[in-house]
Amino acid sequence: MNDIKLKHILPQTGEIVVGCMRFDSLTPEQIADMIDRLAGEGILHYDHADIYGNGICEEKFGQALQLCQTPREQLILQSKCGIREGYYDLSREYILDAVDRILARLQTGYLDLLILHRPDALMEPSEIAAAFDELQAAGKVRYFGVSNFTPGQIELLESAVHQPLLVNQLQLSIPNSWMISSGLETNMPTEGSIDRDGHVLDSMRAKGITIQTWSPLQFGDWEGTFLDHPEFPELNILLEKLAEKYGVSKSAIAAAWILRHPAGMQVVTGSSKTERILDMAKARNLHLTRKEWYALYQAAGHRIP
């Protein structure tokens, strides 16, 4: 697979990041078993957010850390903050308080990565910089990143913060691939040519910021998975054909499509089932051909000029 620049700083990371949004449905014992099983397959990176399950996901994960055999130091734990009920808050005070609460729920002394969950229209880069400095100096956060930020918003933040921003979480799947289509359909009067994000894909590659892709199996505006969906018959036929060729599931092919991109992206899984995560992780050993990659892209309804 393509080089993941984040791996130079956090060598335990890899192509697969386990999204913990649905972990409130699991028991601490089930999560502990998952951590140990996935660790045996080299999957050590977990993505949290303080709003997932209103904190219950982190709380159960913290309990699981006391039960599992895998040492905390082998894991990469990241969490996000900034979304509050009805508004966003990236003030210094809220970031500091949020991290203290996250650490208490996770029962750990530090986060490997703190990610700002959404851009705050009222954010002051100097306030965020002060929060980052305090958290790093106190040993509570090792590194920092953002989620759903445009290149311009990142440049604004970089004008004040002293730490490099290592990741940007962005939505990407075969159907929801606007960051790719805007580049391919440049200078055309087509829907796909619309630049919705300031050419964030190319910008992150140039900056060396790792893109972590969320909702890799979803389409539209939270309309569900495209796998076996009647709206995508051509895509599912091709996914099935490639799944048979490579001896994996359609989910693994969908993940392999993301990993095939030379940006060196990571796939954030959204499942609470260990077997499904392991199934998708088989994408790490696949390398779709250029022809197969473009065929999947077109089968999802995208245009090749």
Side-chain angles (χ1 to χ4, degrees), residues 115-252:
I115 296 173
L116 305 181
H117 206 159
R118 285 276 179 181
D120 174 9
L122 303 181
M123 66 183 177
E124 293 280 1
S126 59
E127 282 194 46
I128 296 173
F132 283 9
D133 287 345
E134 290 181 51
L135 291 169
Q136 192 171 61
K140 295 179 179 180
V141 178
R142 298 178 65 196
Y143 303 106
F144 300 87
V146 296
S147 178
N148 306 298
F149 272 53
T150 67
Q153 290 165 335
I154 287 176
E155 289 182 8
L156 177 63
L157 190 55
E158 287 177 331
S159 70
V161 299
H162 304 106
Q163 300 81 4
L165 300 174
L166 301 188
V167 303
N168 189 7
Q169 283 196 359
L170 298 165
Q171 185 178 20
L172 179 65
S173 68
I174 305 176
N176 286 4
S177 52
W178 313 288
M179 70 172 79
I180 292 173
S181 63
S182 63
L184 288 177
E185 298 179 45
T186 295
N187 198 36
M188 295 186 65
T190 56
E191 176 71 17
S193 70
I194 298 173
D195 176 17
R196 294 173 169 83
D197 47 40
H199 292 293
V200 68
L201 173 57
D202 297 329
S203 177
M204 295 306 96
R205 291 184 70 184
K207 285 179 173 290
I209 294 176
T210 296
I211 294 175
Q212 296 181 338
T213 63
W214 55 271
S215 292
L217 301 179
Q218 301 292 309
F219 76 96
D221 187 15
W222 296 93
E223 295 174 51
T225 177
F226 57 82
L227 298 178
D228 299 320
H229 195 284
E231 187 172 329
F232 298 96
E234 184 180 349
L235 175 58
N236 276 285
I237 289 172
L238 182 53
L239 284 169
E240 184 66 37
K241 178 180 178 181
L242 292 174
E244 292 178 3
K245 173 183 174 179
Y246 289 102
V248 297
S249 69
K250 293 195 290 186
S251 296

